[in-house]
């Protein structure tokens, strides 16, 4: 057995977005590095035979960001995006499977955002922003480029590419709306098109509309608004005609569990097909008949079929099942792993079992990991909760120094999968001798709508006591040393870490990564403003304060903090802007609290550059070693 190093964590690659060919014989996937060393993330397309007779092989030889592999209906061509000619500007490419030849198909000056090969073999639908006009070029040259918000903002528009001529046309439909998703009816009929009022997340995600577009006639029809954060469009036939499904937040709140919505296109009857379930749908997968539904189900995943009257459970899978794809519904491909193996491409029938066809992290073979076990317990009010416990590598008898790492979202979850990542993660700390608690408090995914919606306007309340109850349980079981407790988290987990140390002095060290400290400021400046307002309970324009969000903002309790704090934040974060970290830093400096504030240049909400990821890992361990070691 060899030891785990920071380099091993960040220097690996992970498979993404598998795509099964319609004939079921070939599968394409993207292989992406975990970290980036330059200005661009160099990804690769790989092909695998589904029968496993031949080892996976690389499909292209370019240095580029390659993404979105999709097959033609006859399985003879693979379309994908690549920016090898002009880095940062992806164009549509086509790989002919018989010869292996790759052709650049588009030269759209703003690049192609997404694409969909249609049943007509000569047509591909594209999503792309408008090309710059001559006036735009002149204004850019002369720096006469004042931005008037709401005017001439970039929009992804539907384009139609004729492969016979190479001509790209722009249908005059959907007005000035931003197109985000396309899905063609399996019989070659119209496209379902999802649009937003603008590309701004704060507004766009709340202003969804669904349309039909006929690629033959160019006719369009508006089916009306849909629930917030709609995605995963899917068609299927029923006795009453065609149905169109999607996943969206359960109305009316913006902090809610997701649901599968079923629209009978002819009658316009809309149904919530997952109301009352204790699971949360994460993906719809089109089959040509009844679609497949992937559910976050506690710590694990359930795969079901959406039959006309009910859901039929097909299989259960440990941990997560991501990026499920199928050609006919008889076989699926997906990204999944185990407690001690990172995610890989797996393939098999929807009823299971699935077999692994890739091994993208052989560098982890032989590295000892901490024992990981599910944890079930009850909250103070009797609510059933779950989480994970990871013990120090090679040890079972406590008590140990314990670090609690809270997940982000809050609409996310810990699944029973390998917990090894560039951000503060259980196996990274377990390798240094720590026990790690990964709680799934209320507000998260995997336990139904009400579980998720219960924190709206009440963040930091019951979800905090849910976490503390779990910590106390581990102390009572002799696993955690009550005098050596730490807490950490990124994003909403960073909020919970900042919140915790303003409520109690029990933690000897804390890490706040890209964390929220003022909900009113986040609603005003974050890219998901109204969604954040739903969590915080109010905005600054709600009237003269104090406001409800003040009572749930960690900054309001900064005078109570005595715990040493490590603050980590990306300089270009638009999700949780850097001002949140600056605010906490200034408050801690004002109250003379021991802390360290680290800003990562060029980084957004996630840290992508290799040296920065290495710094996060090493600095995390060093911080907890400083305060939790004897």
């Amino acid at each position: 057995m060899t030891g785990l190093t920071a380099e091993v964590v960040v220097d690996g690659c992970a498979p993404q977005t598998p795509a099964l060919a319609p004939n079921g014989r070939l599968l394409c996937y993207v292989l992406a590095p975990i970290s980036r060393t330059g200005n661009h993330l160099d990804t690769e397309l790989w092909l695998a035979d589904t029968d496993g007779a031949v080892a996976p092989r690389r499909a292209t030889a370019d240095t580029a960001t390659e993404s979105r592999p999709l097959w033609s209906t006859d399985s003879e061509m693979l379309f994908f995006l690549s920016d090898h000619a002009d880095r940062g500007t992806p164009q549509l490419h086509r790989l002919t499977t018989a010869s292996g030849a790759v052709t650049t198909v588009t030269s759209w000056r703003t690049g192609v955002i997404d694409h969909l090969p249609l049943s007509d073999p000569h047509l591909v639908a594209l999503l792309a922003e408008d090309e710059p006009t001559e006036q735009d070029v002149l204004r850019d040259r002369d720096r006469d480029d004042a931005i008037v918000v709401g005017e001439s903002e970039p929009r992804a528009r539907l384009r139609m590419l004729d492969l016979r001529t190479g001509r790209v046309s722009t249908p005059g439909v959907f007005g000035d709306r931003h197109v985000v998703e396309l899905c063609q009816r399996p019989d070659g009929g119209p496209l379902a098109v999802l649009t937003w009022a603008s590309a701004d997340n704060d507004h766009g995600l709340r202003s969804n509309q669904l349309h039909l577009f006929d690629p033959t006639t160019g006719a369009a029809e508006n089916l009306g608004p849909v629930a917030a954060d709609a995605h995963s469009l899917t068609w299927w036939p029923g006795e009453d005609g065609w149905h169109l499904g999607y996943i969206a937040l359960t109305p009316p709140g913006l902090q809610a569990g997701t649901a599968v919505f079923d629209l009978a296109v002819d009658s316009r009857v809309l149904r919530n097909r997952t109301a009352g379930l204790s699971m949360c749908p994460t993906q719809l997968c089109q089959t040509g008949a009844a679609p497949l539904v992937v559910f976050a189900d506690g710590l694990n995943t359930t795969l079901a079929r959406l039959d006309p009257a009910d859901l039929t459970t097909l299989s259960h899978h440990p941990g997560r099942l991501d990026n499920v794809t199928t050609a006919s519904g008889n076989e699926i491909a997906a990204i999944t792993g185990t407690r001690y193996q990172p995610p890989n491409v797996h393939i098999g029938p929807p009823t299971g079992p699935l077999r692994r066809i890739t091994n993208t992290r052989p560098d982890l073979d032989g590295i000892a990991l901490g024992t990981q076990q599910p944890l079930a317990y009850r909250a103070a009010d009797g609510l059933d909760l779950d989480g994970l416990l990871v013990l120090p590598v090679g040890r079972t008898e406590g008590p140990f120094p314990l670090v609690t790492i809270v997940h982000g979202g809050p609409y996310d979850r810990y699944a029973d999968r390998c917990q090894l990542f560039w951000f503060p993660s259980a196996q990274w700390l377990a390798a240094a001798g720590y026990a790690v608690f990964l709680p799934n408090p209320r507000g998260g995914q995997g336990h139904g709508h009400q579980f998720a919606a219960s924190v709206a306007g009440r963040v930091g309340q019951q979800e905090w006591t849910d976490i503390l109850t779990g910590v106390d349980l581990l102390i009572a079981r002799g696993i955690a040393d009550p005098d050596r407790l730490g807490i950490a988290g990124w994003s909403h987990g960073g909020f919970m870490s900042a919140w915790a140390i303003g409520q109690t002095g029990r933690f000897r060290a804390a890490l706040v990564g890209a964390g929220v400290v003022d909900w009113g400021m986040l609603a005003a400046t974050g890219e998901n403003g109204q969604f954040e307002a739903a969590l915080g309970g109010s905005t600054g324009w709600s009237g003269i304060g104090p406001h409800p969000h003040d009572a749930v903002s960690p900054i309001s309790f900064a005078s109570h903090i005595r715990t040493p704090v490590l603050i980590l934040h990306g300089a270009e974060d638009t999700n949780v802007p850097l001002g949140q970290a600056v605010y906490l830093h200034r408050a801690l400096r004002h109250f003379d609290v021991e802390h360290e504030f680290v800003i990562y240049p060029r980084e957004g909400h996630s840290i992508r550059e290799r040296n920065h990821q290495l710094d996060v890992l090493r600095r995390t361990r060093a911080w907890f070693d400083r305060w939790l070691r004897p």
Side-chain angles (χ1 to χ4, degrees):
M1 293 288 184
T2 58
L4 186 66
T5 67
E7 288 80 4
V8 167
V9 176
V10 309
D11 286 343
C13 289
Q16 300 173 348
T17 58
L20 267 175
N23 62 17
R25 298 172 188 166
L26 275 176
L27 179 140
C28 181
Y29 60 93
V30 174
L31 192 61
I34 294 169
S35 64
R36 186 182 74 229
T37 55
N39 294 326
H40 303 283
L41 188 70
D42 298 329
T43 61
E44 302 170 356
L45 283 188
W46 284 68
L47 289 171
D49 294 301
T50 55
D51 61 9
V54 180
R57 65 271 187 196
R58 190 172 173 186
T60 59
D62 297 317
T63 298
T65 301
E66 299 175 333
S67 65
R68 293 292 291 147
L70 293 173
W71 294 92
S72 61
T73 54
D74 59 9
S75 303
E76 294 182 0
M77 291 182 290
L78 177 73
F79 293 90
F80 63 96
L81 301 181
S82 173
D83 66 354
H84 78 94
D86 181 10
R87 299 308 305 269
T89 306
Q91 302 293 346
L92 184 67
H93 290 64
R94 176 179 57 199
L95 181 148
T96 303
T97 55
S99 64
V102 175
T103 306
T104 304
V105 180
T106 63
S107 56
W108 197 259
R109 281 182 289 168
T110 55
V112 175
I113 298 170
D114 204 354
H115 67 104
L116 179 66
L118 302 184
S119 59
D120 182 334
H122 304 299
L123 294 179
V124 178
L126 307 176
L127 295 185
E129 295 177 358
D130 292 338
E131 292 187 294
T133 64
E134 184 177 345
Q135 183 181 18
D136 293 332
V137 173
L138 292 174
R139 290 184 62 204
D140 184 63
R141 183 198 67 186
D142 297 337
R143 299 199 174 199
D144 179 21
D145 53 0
I147 298 172
V148 180
V149 175
E151 293 184 11
S152 302
E153 290 182 348
R155 298 282 197 278
R157 303 190 194 280
L158 174 65
R159 324 279 178 179
M160 300 300 296
L161 167 65
D162 190 323
L163 293 170
R164 294 165 294 191
T165 64
R167 179 174 177 268
V168 176
S169 60
T170 302
V173 293
F174 314 133
D176 202 34
R177 294 184 66 81
H178 174 64
V179 182
V180 294
E181 190 173 338
L182 308 171
C183 182
Q184 187 172 29
R185 209 168 70 185
D187 66 346
L191 303 181
V193 182
L194 186 67
T195 68
W196 295 355
S198 76
D200 175 7
N201 277 6
D202 175 48
H203 186 209
L205 285 166
R206 298 179 289 119
S207 59
N208 297 287
Q209 287 188 9
L210 194 56
H211 315 257
L212 298 180
F213 174 76
D214 188 326
T216 303
T217 66
E221 180 182 0
N222 191 342
L223 299 180
V226 293
D229 196 21
H231 60 281
S232 203
L233 297 177
T234 309
W235 288 93
W236 67 92
E239 292 183 358
D240 55 347
W242 283 97
H243 287 239
L244 185 55
Y246 55 89
I247 292 175
L249 297 181
T250 304
L254 295 180
Q255 167 59 28
T258 50
V260 172
F261 292 91
D262 172 355
L263 175 66
V265 176
D266 290 340
S267 66
R268 299 292 196 271
V269 173
L270 180 68
R271 292 190 292 161
N272 178 344
R273 296 293 303 276
T274 54
L277 291 185
S278 59
M279 307 182 292
C280 297
T282 61
Q283 184 189 353
L284 280 170
C285 190
Q286 188 162 296
T287 67
L292 304 179
V293 190
V294 183
F295 285 97
D297 186 2
L299 296 167
N300 301 304
T301 299
T302 292
L303 185 65
R305 186 177 62 237
L306 191 67
D307 289 322
D310 205 351
L311 281 162
T312 301
T313 298
L314 300 177
S315 54
H316 300 284
H317 303 266
R320 292 177 62 120
L321 198 67
D322 295 318
N323 300 130
V324 176
T325 178
T326 184
S328 63
N330 297 322
E331 192 166 49
I332 65 169
I335 305 293
T336 190
T338 70
R339 289 179 185 173
Y340 306 110
Q341 293 178 334
N344 269 290
V345 181
H346 288 65
I347 195 166
T351 52
L354 304 181
R355 57 185 172 85
R356 192 181 73 177
I357 64 170
T358 65
N359 181 18
T360 58
R361 294 299 309 270
D363 51 319
L364 290 176
D365 294 345
I367 291 180
L369 298 176
T371 300
Q372 178 172 309
Q373 52 193 252
L375 190 68
Y377 66 102
R378 286 189 172 176
D381 61 358
L383 182 68
D384 288 330
L385 299 170
D386 59 38
L388 296 171
L389 172 66
V390 179
L391 296 176
V393 174
R395 300 177 64 187
T396 57
E397 296 296 326
F400 306 109
L402 177 79
V403 178
T404 298
I405 307 178
V406 187
H407 66 64
Y411 195 60
D412 199 351
R413 64 167 176 152
Y414 282 116
D416 196 6
R417 60 169 176 163
C418 185
Q419 298 293 330
L420 182 62
F421 312 101
W422 64 262
F423 48 86
S425 60
Q427 290 294 355
W428 175 244
L429 289 173
Y434 294 93
V436 183
F437 174 40
L438 306 175
N440 282 325
R442 68 193 78 196
Q445 186 185 62
H447 295 282
H449 165 62
Q450 292 301 329
F451 186 89
S454 63
V455 302
R458 306 180 62 215
V459 286
Q461 307 303 299
Q462 287 175 300
E463 62 175 325
W464 162 235
T465 58
D466 290 348
I467 294 168
L468 204 55
T469 299
V471 173
D472 288 338
L473 174 66
L474 295 177
I475 292 172
R477 290 183 179 179
I479 295 168
D481 181 342
D483 295 323
R484 291 189 292 164
L485 300 177
I487 190 164
W490 203 272
S491 193
H492 190 83
F495 154 72
M496 285 305 307
S497 184
W499 176 261
I501 57 179
Q503 307 302 309
T504 179
R506 295 177 63 184
F507 296 100
R508 290 184 57 185
L511 184 155
V512 177
V516 182
V517 301
D518 188 298
W519 288 101
M521 188 165 75
L522 186 63
T525 61
E527 64 186 32
N528 300 300
Q530 290 300 304
F531 293 82
E532 312 295 4
L535 287 167
S538 61
T539 63
W541 56 83
S542 298
I544 298 174
H547 301 106
H549 68 255
D550 294 324
V552 294
S553 293
I555 202 66
S556 300
F557 300 88
S559 63
H560 300 170
I561 298 175
R562 294 295 179 268
T563 302
V565 186
L566 173 61
I567 308 170
L568 307 178
H569 217 107
E572 307 299 326
D573 193 343
T574 57
N575 187 324
V576 179
L578 179 61
Q580 297 277 330
V582 173
Y583 201 174
L584 179 59
H585 158 64
R586 290 183 177 179
L588 296 179
R589 184 173 60 187
H590 177 79
F591 291 111
D592 197 27
V593 177
E594 181 88 30
H595 72 287
E596 189 173 287
F597 181 23
V598 183
I599 302 171
Y600 296 104
R602 300 174 300 282
E603 300 285 13
H605 197 54
S606 295
I607 307 302
R608 299 301 185 193
E609 294 186 21
R610 180 179 185 272
N611 285 335
H612 291 163
Q613 290 184 348
L614 291 171
D615 186 83
V616 168
L617 290 170
R618 292 167 177 158
R619 197 176 295 274
T620 296
R621 267 198 195 171
W623 186 255
F624 286 116
D625 284 350
R626 177 180 173 185
W627 300 104
L628 301 188
R629 288 299 183 185

